[in-house]
Amino acid sequence: MNREPDWALWRSFAAVVANGSLSAAGRELGISQPTVGRHIETLEADLGLALFERTLSGLKPNSIALRLYEPVSEAQSALAGAAIMAEGAQAEWGGTVRLTASAVISNYVLPQLLGPIRERYPGIAIETVPSDSAENLLLREADIAIRMFRPTQLELISRHLGDLPLVATARQSYLDRRGTPRQAADLYHHDLIGFDRSDAIIAHARTLGLVLRRDQFALRSDDQPHLWELIKAGLGIGFAQARLVHDTPGMVALPIDLSIPPLPVWLTTHRELFTSHRIRAIYDALADGLVAYIVG
């Protein structure tokens, strides 16, 4: 192979190794499965090497492919880094900023914050990515992230904006029907709304000396905005951000101290992007808005 490498082929190669199939790689890259397949066939022909074993469950990288994957992955990271540096060097007030936050923050907090920001910076388009997974800032899956944990990568700039208290809550109409619990043990006699696969609530209850089982939740889901809507509909007692409860008519924070750890709010971006005028503008405006929201 004497010509310059075709990065589109290597990008498809890396996606197939990481995802295990042409279809999954295509979804990640935003291209069709046949296109990914052609890229793999072309790359193998150019190299004169077989890179994958074709199986019923997908493509299995062979030992050669696994050895090649590491330098290809490093090259991808280097290219992403170059793009970040170029982004940071841009000085214009236009363009796009991609923002990721948890599903609850994205749906119930961001809309009220973005109005003033859009009025102040009408030339900057904002892409929002509601996600409870950790979007990878280092690979430019987002420019700015609102995290409920402290990022640790040295390449990132992070600012702790405060903490959001969590409370047990229910709609007043539910409490009118079933009564208001006054202590933690009273919750056993109510319809509880909680997680399906996550054991976060059960694990915290254990620290309080309470034994909870998954089947004691009358309604279960791991989609947190959906859980909030179930609680708002008066279907039982659940757990939510205290500020969200306070701002929602008809919702009541229960008079029970469950010692639920608050959610820390961190605003994060890549160090190189912080020199971009538009990234810095949106970052600072979000910081101001979030601090005002947290302190109430």
Side-chain angles (χ1 to χ4, degrees):
M1 183 175 177
N2 295 319
R3 57 189 175 81
E4 289 294 320
D6 186 334
W7 288 110
L9 305 184
W10 287 107
R11 187 166 173 257
S12 292
F13 161 80
V16 173
V17 173
N19 291 280
S21 71
L22 298 175
S23 57
R27 285 193 296 272
E28 177 184 298
L29 299 175
I31 60 179
S32 69
Q33 177 179 335
T35 298
V36 178
R38 287 194 297 272
H39 285 176
I40 297 301
E41 291 174 359
T42 302
L43 182 61
E44 289 181 322
D46 287 349
L47 296 175
L49 296 170
L51 299 173
F52 297 91
E53 296 176 21
R54 274 67 176 176
T55 69
L56 292 177
S57 60
L59 295 184
K60 181 180 179 181
N62 59 25
S63 59
I64 296 173
L66 292 176
R67 290 201 303 271
L68 291 173
Y69 178 70
E70 182 175 354
V72 171
S73 180
E74 291 174 353
Q76 283 186 304
S77 297
L79 288 172
I84 286 172
M85 292 179 67
E87 182 83 15
Q90 295 177 5
E92 77 281 359
W93 291 101
T96 299
V97 174
R98 188 171 177 85
L99 167 65
T100 185
S102 73
V104 169
I105 294 294
S106 294
N107 284 289
Y108 301 109
V109 179
L110 274 184
Q112 59 188 288
L113 302 185
L114 292 180
I117 292 175
R118 288 286 302 129
E119 288 182 10
R120 185 174 181 182
Y121 302 108
I124 301 177
I126 298 176
E127 297 174 351
T128 57
V129 186
S131 175
D132 291 319
S133 65
E135 299 294 318
N136 194 333
L137 290 176
L138 302 183
L139 292 180
R140 288 303 312 279
E141 293 173 6
D143 300 314
I144 299 173
I146 302 171
R147 301 279 200 231
M148 296 342 212
F149 58 88
R150 181 175 186 172
T152 57
Q153 296 96 327
L154 295 177
E155 299 91 338
L156 301 180
I157 290 176
S158 299
R159 179 180 169 189
H160 180 218
L161 303 179
D163 300 303
L164 290 170
L166 297 174
V167 297
T169 181
R171 192 165 192 85
Q172 184 63 58
S173 59
Y174 171 86
L175 300 176
D176 291 342
R177 295 194 313 271
R178 300 290 299 275
T180 300
R182 300 294 174 181
Q183 55 188 358
D186 294 342
L187 296 175
Y188 286 121
H189 308 295
H190 284 267
D191 291 336
L192 298 181
I193 298 174
F195 294 129
D196 180 15
R197 289 166 294 183
S198 170
D199 67 347
I201 298 174
I202 293 173
H204 180 69
R206 194 178 300 124
T207 68
L208 301 176
L210 299 174
V211 177
L212 275 181
R213 302 186 310 272
R214 178 178 175 276
D215 60 10
Q216 289 176 297
F217 293 100
L219 291 160
R220 300 185 289 267
S221 174
D222 290 312
D223 185 299
Q224 295 194 46
H226 179 60
L227 289 176
W228 175 236
E229 293 300 328
L230 295 176
I231 301 168
K232 282 170 56 182
L235 294 174
I237 292 174
F239 309 91
Q241 297 172 19
R243 173 65 192 268
L244 194 57
V245 173
H246 177 271
D247 290 348
T248 305
M251 297 304 298
V252 177
L254 301 182
I256 305 174
D257 181 12
L258 295 175
S259 301
I260 304 174
L263 287 175
V265 181
W266 289 83
L267 192 62
T268 303
T269 189
H270 196 284
R271 188 176 302 278
E272 295 288 352
L273 286 180
F274 212 47
T275 60
S276 164
H277 286 203
R278 68 170 177 272
I279 301 293
R280 183 62 183 268
I282 301 302
Y283 183 97
D284 289 343
L286 278 171
D288 292 342
L290 285 166
V291 168
Y293 176 83
I294 291 167
V295 300

